[in-house]
mmCIF file of all heavy atoms in Angstrom:
data_model
loop_
_atom_site.group_PDB
_atom_site.id
_atom_site.type_symbol
_atom_site.label_atom_id
_atom_site.label_comp_id
_atom_site.label_asym_id
_atom_site.label_seq_id
_atom_site.Cartn_x
_atom_site.Cartn_y
_atom_site.Cartn_z
ATOM 1 N N PRO A 149 -148.683 38.358 177.367
ATOM 2 C CA PRO A 149 -149.732 38.362 176.387
ATOM 3 C C PRO A 149 -151.047 39.180 176.745
ATOM 4 O O PRO A 149 -151.683 39.803 175.832
ATOM 5 C CB PRO A 149 -150.259 36.837 176.460
ATOM 6 C CG PRO A 149 -149.044 36.159 176.933
ATOM 7 C CD PRO A 149 -148.392 37.100 178.061
ATOM 8 N N GLY A 150 -151.347 39.374 178.102
ATOM 9 C CA GLY A 150 -152.575 40.056 178.343
ATOM 10 C C GLY A 150 -152.639 41.639 178.530
ATOM 11 O O GLY A 150 -153.755 42.162 178.855
ATOM 12 N N TRP A 151 -151.415 42.213 178.449
ATOM 13 C CA TRP A 151 -151.519 43.703 178.519
ATOM 14 C C TRP A 151 -150.264 44.255 177.896
ATOM 15 O O TRP A 151 -149.259 43.687 177.372
ATOM 16 C CB TRP A 151 -151.578 44.262 179.951
ATOM 17 C CG TRP A 151 -150.329 43.713 180.849
ATOM 18 C CD1 TRP A 151 -149.109 44.315 180.952
ATOM 19 C CD2 TRP A 151 -150.291 42.635 181.694
ATOM 20 N NE1 TRP A 151 -148.424 43.641 181.826
ATOM 21 C CE2 TRP A 151 -149.002 42.694 182.360
ATOM 22 C CE3 TRP A 151 -151.192 41.721 181.979
ATOM 23 C CZ2 TRP A 151 -148.665 41.662 183.319
ATOM 24 C CZ3 TRP A 151 -150.799 40.709 183.054
ATOM 25 C CH2 TRP A 151 -149.575 40.643 183.573
ATOM 26 N N ASN A 152 -150.249 45.614 177.685
ATOM 27 C CA ASN A 152 -149.207 46.272 176.924
ATOM 28 C C ASN A 152 -148.212 46.807 177.920
ATOM 29 O O ASN A 152 -148.465 47.164 179.197
ATOM 30 C CB ASN A 152 -149.668 47.443 176.240
ATOM 31 C CG ASN A 152 -150.488 47.028 175.032
ATOM 32 O OD1 ASN A 152 -150.270 46.044 174.478
ATOM 33 N ND2 ASN A 152 -151.616 47.738 174.749
ATOM 34 N N ASP A 153 -146.907 46.717 177.681
ATOM 35 C CA ASP A 153 -145.835 47.154 178.681
ATOM 36 C C ASP A 153 -145.239 48.614 178.334
ATOM 37 O O ASP A 153 -145.253 49.434 179.149
ATOM 38 C CB ASP A 153 -144.696 46.132 178.671
ATOM 39 C CG ASP A 153 -145.196 44.870 179.337
ATOM 40 O OD1 ASP A 153 -145.584 44.997 180.522
ATOM 41 O OD2 ASP A 153 -145.145 43.839 178.781
ATOM 42 N N TYR A 154 -144.643 48.668 177.087
ATOM 43 C CA TYR A 154 -143.912 49.898 176.806
ATOM 44 C C TYR A 154 -144.373 50.474 175.444
ATOM 45 O O TYR A 154 -144.947 49.796 174.508
ATOM 46 C CB TYR A 154 -142.499 49.656 176.596
ATOM 47 C CG TYR A 154 -141.813 49.045 177.816
ATOM 48 C CD1 TYR A 154 -141.655 47.559 177.865
ATOM 49 C CD2 TYR A 154 -141.588 49.783 178.989
ATOM 50 C CE1 TYR A 154 -141.126 46.996 178.904
ATOM 51 C CE2 TYR A 154 -141.068 49.061 180.183
ATOM 52 C CZ TYR A 154 -140.980 47.764 180.088
ATOM 53 O OH TYR A 154 -140.328 47.175 181.142
ATOM 54 N N THR A 155 -144.379 51.877 175.456
ATOM 55 C CA THR A 155 -144.913 52.537 174.100
ATOM 56 C C THR A 155 -143.778 53.381 173.611
ATOM 57 O O THR A 155 -143.054 54.007 174.452
ATOM 58 C CB THR A 155 -146.094 53.484 174.560
ATOM 59 O OG1 THR A 155 -147.279 52.785 175.094
ATOM 60 C CG2 THR A 155 -146.502 54.253 173.287
ATOM 61 N N GLN A 156 -143.480 53.319 172.345
ATOM 62 C CA GLN A 156 -142.527 54.150 171.759
ATOM 63 C C GLN A 156 -142.950 54.596 170.285
ATOM 64 O O GLN A 156 -143.941 53.918 169.690
ATOM 65 C CB GLN A 156 -141.306 53.463 171.653
ATOM 66 C CG GLN A 156 -141.158 52.154 170.735
ATOM 67 C CD GLN A 156 -139.825 51.565 170.709
ATOM 68 O OE1 GLN A 156 -139.050 51.467 171.837
ATOM 69 N NE2 GLN A 156 -139.240 51.207 169.607
ATOM 70 N N PRO A 157 -142.323 55.599 169.788
ATOM 71 C CA PRO A 157 -142.628 56.093 168.415
ATOM 72 C C PRO A 157 -142.111 55.177 167.312
ATOM 73 O O PRO A 157 -141.160 54.353 167.506
ATOM 74 C CB PRO A 157 -142.085 57.337 168.261
ATOM 75 C CG PRO A 157 -140.823 57.361 169.200
ATOM 76 C CD PRO A 157 -141.289 56.457 170.325
ATOM 77 N N TRP A 158 -142.797 55.130 166.196
ATOM 78 C CA TRP A 158 -142.277 54.445 165.043
ATOM 79 C C TRP A 158 -142.475 55.104 163.755
ATOM 80 O O TRP A 158 -143.460 55.963 163.715
ATOM 81 C CB TRP A 158 -142.899 53.057 164.989
ATOM 82 C CG TRP A 158 -144.348 53.023 164.537
ATOM 83 C CD1 TRP A 158 -145.354 53.122 165.356
ATOM 84 C CD2 TRP A 158 -144.896 52.731 163.288
ATOM 85 N NE1 TRP A 158 -146.623 53.068 164.620
ATOM 86 C CE2 TRP A 158 -146.271 52.816 163.437
ATOM 87 C CE3 TRP A 158 -144.363 52.497 162.025
ATOM 88 C CZ2 TRP A 158 -147.104 52.704 162.288
ATOM 89 C CZ3 TRP A 158 -145.092 52.306 160.897
ATOM 90 C CH2 TRP A 158 -146.564 52.407 161.071
ATOM 91 N N SER A 159 -141.723 54.808 162.770
ATOM 92 C CA SER A 159 -142.024 55.256 161.381
ATOM 93 C C SER A 159 -141.510 54.470 160.334
ATOM 94 O O SER A 159 -140.715 53.679 160.604
ATOM 95 C CB SER A 159 -141.350 56.801 161.249
ATOM 96 O OG SER A 159 -139.938 56.536 161.416
ATOM 97 N N LYS A 160 -142.116 54.603 159.204
ATOM 98 C CA LYS A 160 -141.731 53.748 157.984
ATOM 99 C C LYS A 160 -141.473 54.537 156.831
ATOM 100 O O LYS A 160 -142.251 55.517 156.463
ATOM 101 C CB LYS A 160 -142.787 52.739 157.760
ATOM 102 C CG LYS A 160 -142.637 51.752 156.731
ATOM 103 C CD LYS A 160 -143.749 50.753 156.762
ATOM 104 C CE LYS A 160 -143.620 49.793 155.341
ATOM 105 N NZ LYS A 160 -143.650 50.452 154.016
ATOM 106 N N SER A 161 -140.440 54.346 156.095
ATOM 107 C CA SER A 161 -140.154 54.916 154.854
ATOM 108 C C SER A 161 -139.506 53.869 153.908
ATOM 109 O O SER A 161 -138.410 53.370 154.124
ATOM 110 C CB SER A 161 -138.940 56.041 155.074
ATOM 111 O OG SER A 161 -138.587 56.592 153.835
ATOM 112 N N GLY A 162 -140.461 53.523 152.886
ATOM 113 C CA GLY A 162 -140.107 52.448 152.044
ATOM 114 C C GLY A 162 -139.831 51.170 152.886
ATOM 115 O O GLY A 162 -140.875 50.785 153.598
ATOM 116 N N ASN A 163 -138.741 50.448 152.804
ATOM 117 C CA ASN A 163 -138.566 49.155 153.532
ATOM 118 C C ASN A 163 -137.767 49.547 154.920
ATOM 119 O O ASN A 163 -137.246 48.510 155.472
ATOM 120 C CB ASN A 163 -137.810 48.221 152.729
ATOM 121 C CG ASN A 163 -138.761 47.657 151.807
ATOM 122 O OD1 ASN A 163 -139.987 47.468 151.868
ATOM 123 N ND2 ASN A 163 -138.132 47.271 150.602
ATOM 124 N N ASP A 164 -137.548 50.796 155.227
ATOM 125 C CA ASP A 164 -136.829 51.131 156.390
ATOM 126 C C ASP A 164 -137.959 51.360 157.497
ATOM 127 O O ASP A 164 -138.879 52.133 157.498
ATOM 128 C CB ASP A 164 -136.105 52.350 156.212
ATOM 129 C CG ASP A 164 -134.903 52.270 155.371
ATOM 130 O OD1 ASP A 164 -134.383 51.137 155.226
ATOM 131 O OD2 ASP A 164 -134.404 53.299 154.831
ATOM 132 N N LEU A 165 -137.845 50.720 158.591
ATOM 133 C CA LEU A 165 -138.687 50.667 159.825
ATOM 134 C C LEU A 165 -138.007 51.215 160.904
ATOM 135 O O LEU A 165 -137.070 50.567 161.493
ATOM 136 C CB LEU A 165 -139.266 49.388 160.006
ATOM 137 C CG LEU A 165 -140.322 49.240 161.363
ATOM 138 C CD1 LEU A 165 -141.518 50.052 161.053
ATOM 139 C CD2 LEU A 165 -140.694 47.822 161.466
ATOM 140 N N THR A 166 -138.266 52.379 161.456
ATOM 141 C CA THR A 166 -137.580 52.946 162.586
ATOM 142 C C THR A 166 -138.382 52.806 163.849
ATOM 143 O O THR A 166 -139.506 53.213 163.971
ATOM 144 C CB THR A 166 -137.447 54.476 162.430
ATOM 145 O OG1 THR A 166 -136.455 54.730 161.258
ATOM 146 C CG2 THR A 166 -136.644 55.037 163.577
ATOM 147 N N LEU A 167 -137.800 52.149 164.805
ATOM 148 C CA LEU A 167 -138.354 51.879 166.042
ATOM 149 C C LEU A 167 -137.509 52.448 167.174
ATOM 150 O O LEU A 167 -136.352 51.967 167.451
ATOM 151 C CB LEU A 167 -138.449 50.355 166.393
ATOM 152 C CG LEU A 167 -139.125 49.453 165.344
ATOM 153 C CD1 LEU A 167 -139.049 47.916 165.709
ATOM 154 C CD2 LEU A 167 -140.548 49.922 165.039
ATOM 155 N N GLY A 168 -137.973 53.564 167.806
ATOM 156 C CA GLY A 168 -137.128 54.172 168.649
ATOM 157 C C GLY A 168 -136.043 54.940 167.980
ATOM 158 O O GLY A 168 -136.147 55.782 167.144
ATOM 159 N N PHE A 169 -134.695 54.493 168.401
ATOM 160 C CA PHE A 169 -133.554 55.052 167.669
ATOM 161 C C PHE A 169 -132.907 54.293 166.725
ATOM 162 O O PHE A 169 -131.881 54.488 166.093
ATOM 163 C CB PHE A 169 -132.596 55.350 168.908
ATOM 164 C CG PHE A 169 -132.983 56.268 169.798
ATOM 165 C CD1 PHE A 169 -133.310 55.962 171.176
ATOM 166 C CD2 PHE A 169 -132.959 57.722 169.485
ATOM 167 C CE1 PHE A 169 -133.771 56.795 172.117
ATOM 168 C CE2 PHE A 169 -133.428 58.611 170.490
ATOM 169 C CZ PHE A 169 -133.769 58.200 171.724
ATOM 170 N N ASP A 170 -133.522 52.930 166.410
ATOM 171 C CA ASP A 170 -132.897 51.955 165.445
ATOM 172 C C ASP A 170 -133.718 51.876 164.222
ATOM 173 O O ASP A 170 -135.056 51.878 164.387
ATOM 174 C CB ASP A 170 -132.710 50.605 166.133
ATOM 175 C CG ASP A 170 -131.958 50.670 167.332
ATOM 176 O OD1 ASP A 170 -130.839 51.164 167.166
ATOM 177 O OD2 ASP A 170 -132.249 49.936 168.456
ATOM 178 N N THR A 171 -133.150 51.677 163.114
ATOM 179 C CA THR A 171 -133.731 51.505 161.836
ATOM 180 C C THR A 171 -133.410 50.098 161.338
ATOM 181 O O THR A 171 -132.376 49.727 160.999
ATOM 182 C CB THR A 171 -133.367 52.608 160.974
ATOM 183 O OG1 THR A 171 -133.804 53.869 161.422
ATOM 184 C CG2 THR A 171 -134.103 52.341 159.609
ATOM 185 N N TYR A 172 -134.555 49.402 161.188
ATOM 186 C CA TYR A 172 -134.567 48.106 160.656
ATOM 187 C C TYR A 172 -134.948 48.000 159.190
ATOM 188 O O TYR A 172 -135.649 48.846 158.689
ATOM 189 C CB TYR A 172 -135.501 47.135 161.450
ATOM 190 C CG TYR A 172 -135.111 47.010 162.902
ATOM 191 C CD1 TYR A 172 -135.316 47.754 163.794
ATOM 192 C CD2 TYR A 172 -134.474 45.720 163.303
ATOM 193 C CE1 TYR A 172 -135.158 47.749 165.203
ATOM 194 C CE2 TYR A 172 -134.276 45.563 164.669
ATOM 195 C CZ TYR A 172 -134.539 46.526 165.562
ATOM 196 O OH TYR A 172 -134.160 46.352 166.866
#
């Protein structure tokens, strides 16, 4: 809760949310 661990890129296109190499 008290700090951040990992950073990665993200992008959004419509209802597609890409986190790293996966698109949700």
Side-chain angles (χ1 to χ4, degrees):
W151 61 83
N152 295 321
D153 288 303
Y154 305 102
T155 300
Q156 67 178 40
W158 71 277
S159 62
K160 181 178 178 296
S161 177
N163 286 328
D164 290 336
L165 179 64
T166 300
L167 309 177
F169 298 105
D170 295 318
T171 298
Y172 295 78

